Amino acid sequence: MSSPLDHAFTAPLEKDGAFDTYLTVPDSHHVLGTGRAVKVAGTLDGHAFEATLMPSGQGPHWLPLRRALRDAIGKDAAGDEVAVHLTARRA
């Protein structure tokens, strides 16, 4: 089961945190209505993906990016900008 979501943003890849490579999701607490982990679907630079947004403990959620996703979009360096569009919240 899923519910529609429409949250688009651009964010730089980050590599200095709890995950190997991740993005910070701006306004996530407001958009999602929770500070807990949330499963989502959407696109990264136009490539479809599904993932779990993880709470940072400091406000916004983090979107961990697996190697396969980074390879699909051709980006892996810290600071590389990625266009994200979250389209669904998964149950």
Side-chain angles (χ1 to χ4, degrees), residues 10-31:
T10 300
L13 290 180
E14 299 180 55
K15 291 190 170 270
D16 60 352
F19 302 100
D20 175 50
T21 305
Y22 66 99
L23 300 169
T24 298
V25 181
D27 302 321
S28 62
H29 192 276
H30 174 72
V31 170

Side-chain angles (χ1 to χ4, degrees), residues 33-78:
T34 184
R36 296 181 181 206
V38 177
K39 293 180 182 180
V40 296
T43 60
L44 298 171
D45 284 350
H47 294 271
F49 80 100
E50 290 189 12
T52 301
L53 301 180
M54 302 302 294
S56 67
Q58 304 166 1
H61 285 74
W62 290 325
L63 170 57
L65 296 181
R66 298 182 315 266
R67 163 76 51 203
L69 287 173
R70 298 191 313 267
D71 288 347
I73 64 174
K75 296 179 180 175
D76 190 46

